[in-house]
Every structure is written in structure tokens, then in C-alpha cells.
Amino acid sequence: MKRLALAVLLPAILLLAGFKGCNDPYTACVQGSSVAAQSINQGMTTVDTLRQQGTLSVAEESQALDYMEFANKADGAFLSCAQEAHTNGNKPGTYTACANTFNTALNNPAELALLHVSNAQASQTLNTIVIGVTAGVNSLVAALGGA
Amino acid sequence: MDTNAIVQLILLAISETTQMIGWIRSQTGLTADQQAAATQKLIAANDALYSALKGSLNLPAPPATS
């Protein structure tokens, strides 16, 4: 279980490290989107593994997958937003607005409710997945510095 | 769709996304636009993985709306 959580958290740690010294907001956003997509991918396979191990029920896996897919769609919208900001000449504040919208989506209480599961360890693992991604996006917002 | 076909679909989806992630991580010299294009493909692959995994759960179909 801990190995699974670390596998999911690792991309976020790499993301946090990768933003240091990155002065190009477009590249930072693209890297953030890429790492989020990798984390979401690992999150999907992780919840399927947990269900196969009997830690999650079928219904719980289904709901957790729904959250992952919601986050994946939000990531796609974030990437499109950043690409549009780049095409439109890197206007001040546009990248930060994209990242803030992504962050707000990830923290949507109705969507986060999909991650409530009965098994305490599984719940912790799911929280680790979400915290890994949201910590990475928070770090991105900070690194953008309002760009 | 029978169980074997669903399992094959999931394995294919996982294999594709795993390969894509490995490729993205190995490409250190990509431009931001090239990274963006690769990430778009990964996001689309995640969509496919989601569909495959959900399909494997054999959940009852939602009630039809008219």
C-alpha cells in the first residue's frame, strides 16, 4: 500500500523540484499538466489494484475512477488554457488564471466526495493521490508568481 | 463484450499509457509545444484507460431517460 502511494506521490515531488528555476510560464504549465496526467494515470491503475486486492469495493473503485477522470478532463482544459495563453502572447495573469481554475476544479467538494471509501488505508492512499496532484498545482501557482 | 476482451482492452490501455509516460520522461530535449502535444496524447490515453477500467467493473447500466 505504501509503495503504491509513493508511486503516485513521486511525480508530484518531481514536479515540485522541476519548477525551481523555471522562468518560462508556458513551459512550467505544460510540465505541470504532464506530471498531473502521469499522476492521474497512476491513480487509475492504483485504485484498480486496490479493488483487485479487496481493499476497495467495485462501487468505490467506480467512484474513485470518476474523480480521476474528472481530474483528467480538468487537466486537459488546463493544458488547452495554457496553450491559448501562449498563442495569445503571454498576457500577464493568464497562466495563473489557468492554474487557479485547475486547482479549484481539483478541490471541488462534490467531486472530492467521490473519494470517500470505508477502508482507512485505502482512504489514505486516495488522499495521497489527490494531495500529490494538488500540491504540485499549488507549487505551480506559486512558481508562476502571477504570470 | 466478454471478460477476455475487456481484460485485453485494459492491458492494452495500461501498456500504451505506461509506454507513453516512459517516453515523455526520456525526452529531456523537447520543446514546450512538443511536450504539450505528448501530454494531450497522454490525457486522451487516460480517457481510454478510464473507459476500459469502468467497463471491466460490470456496473448496471444507468436508468434510461426519455
Side-chain angles (χ1 to χ4, degrees):
Chain A
M1 184 83 71
K2 280 182 183 171
R3 200 175 57 183
L4 288 173
L6 281 175
V8 171
L9 194 56
L10 185 60
I13 295 167
L14 293 173
L15 183 69
L16 289 166
F19 285 147
K20 283 182 107 177
C22 182
N23 294 320
D24 171 11
Y26 178 50
T27 302
C29 286
V30 169
Q31 286 175 348
S33 175
S34 175
V35 174
Q38 293 174 48
S39 298
I40 290 164
N41 179 273
Q42 292 186 338
M44 285 182 180
T45 51
T46 297
V47 294
D48 195 52
T49 301
L50 290 173
R51 194 260 309 158
Q52 288 177 32
Q53 290 172 344
T55 312
L56 290 182
S57 70
V58 168
E60 286 173 337
E61 180 187 349
S62 177
Q63 289 198 333
L65 285 172
D66 286 345
Y67 176 82
M68 302 292 170
E69 177 64 356
F70 171 80
N72 192 50
K73 296 283 187 200
D75 188 24
F78 168 56
L79 181 59
S80 296
C81 184
Q83 287 178 300
E84 198 176 321
H86 182 59
T87 305
N88 291 337
N90 306 317
K91 289 174 186 161
T94 50
Y95 293 103
T96 300
C98 295
N100 279 333
T101 301
F102 185 27
N103 207 13
T104 301
L106 291 173
N107 289 293
N108 181 323
E111 299 297 334
L112 285 173
L114 294 170
L115 295 173
H116 288 166
V117 297
S118 56
N119 182 285
Q121 270 193 313
S123 179
Q124 194 174 13
T125 301
L126 292 179
N127 282 336
T128 305
I129 293 169
V130 175
I131 288 168
V133 177
T134 53
V137 177
N138 279 328
S139 172
L140 171 61
V141 171
L144 286 172
Chain B
M1 192 179 288
D2 66 44
T3 308
N4 280 339
I6 290 171
V7 169
Q8 289 304 316
L9 199 61
I10 292 172
L11 291 176
L12 183 65
I14 290 174
S15 169
E16 281 186 1
T17 52
T18 302
Q19 284 179 30
M20 207 173 293
I21 288 170
W23 182 81
I24 289 171
R25 287 179 177 171
S26 70
Q27 303 300 304
T28 52
L30 291 182
T31 66
D33 284 335
Q34 288 170 328
Q35 283 185 56
T39 303
Q40 278 176 335
K41 286 182 183 172
L42 178 56
I43 290 170
N46 281 347
D47 283 336
L49 179 60
Y50 166 77
S51 298
L53 291 175
K54 285 283 280 192
S56 73
L57 296 178
N58 290 320
L59 294 166
T65 53
S66 57

